Amino acid sequence: SVVLDINDEDSVESFEPPPMSMGSSPEALCCCRDGFIVAIIRRLSLVFVYDFSNGDLAHVGKCRLNQYIVDAAIREGDAHNGADFVELVMLVSENEDPKDGRIASIKIGRTSRRSIQ
C-alpha cells in the first residue's frame, strides 16, 4: 500500500464543494490508464500520479490546483517527441463563483513528468 503524503504542504487549504445534485461524495477519485494511476483528493485539490507500467509502483509527481475538483477522467494522449502520454481532464470549481467551473488538464508521460495547462 502507498500513503498519499499531504503533510509536506505549507498550508493544506480545504476547498468547499459547490452545490451538486449528486452530492460531494466520494472524497477521492482514482483514474487509471496505460499503467498510470492518478489519485485525486477533491476537497484538498491534490493530484498524485503513479506509474505501475513495469509492475513496481513509482511516484511520478504531485500537484495542487487550488480549486475544488468536481470530476475527473483520464484519456490516451497523442505521442509527443516519441513519448506516450495520457491526459488527465478535470472539471474544477471557480473559487469566486462555485456554480461556475473550468476544465483543467494535466499531460502525463513517462519521459517528461508532467505539464500543467
Side-chain angles (χ1 to χ4, degrees), residues 15-62:
F15 297 90
E16 286 301 312
M20 295 184 285
S21 62
M22 300 294 289
S24 59
S25 292
E27 285 290 329
L29 301 173
C30 184
C31 300
C32 303
R33 176 79 188 207
D34 295 336
F36 287 106
I37 301 170
V38 179
I40 300 167
I41 310 300
R42 297 169 71 193
R43 187 180 298 263
L44 298 179
S45 190
L46 288 171
V47 178
F48 298 86
V49 180
Y50 295 90
D51 184 357
F52 192 64
S53 60
N54 64 2
D56 293 324
L57 193 61
H59 183 251
V60 174
K62 172 175 112 172

Side-chain angles (χ1 to χ4, degrees), residues 36-110:
F36 287 106
I37 301 170
V38 179
I40 300 167
I41 310 300
R42 297 169 71 193
R43 187 180 298 263
L44 298 179
S45 190
L46 288 171
V47 178
F48 298 86
V49 180
Y50 295 90
D51 184 357
F52 192 64
S53 60
N54 64 2
D56 293 324
L57 193 61
H59 183 251
V60 174
K62 172 175 112 172
C63 69
R64 184 175 171 92
L65 299 178
N66 293 318
Q67 292 172 288
Y68 183 85
I69 301 170
V70 176
D71 204 359
I74 196 166
R75 65 183 178 184
E76 186 175 7
D78 296 328
H80 179 70
N81 292 333
D84 292 325
F85 282 84
V86 295
E87 183 177 20
L88 181 68
V89 181
M90 295 162 287
L91 174 61
V92 296
S93 175
E94 288 291 339
N95 293 329
E96 296 80 31
D97 183 3
K99 292 183 180 179
D100 197 4
R102 70 176 59 202
I103 300 295
S105 77
I106 301 175
K107 293 181 181 174
I108 306 162
R110 286 187 180 83

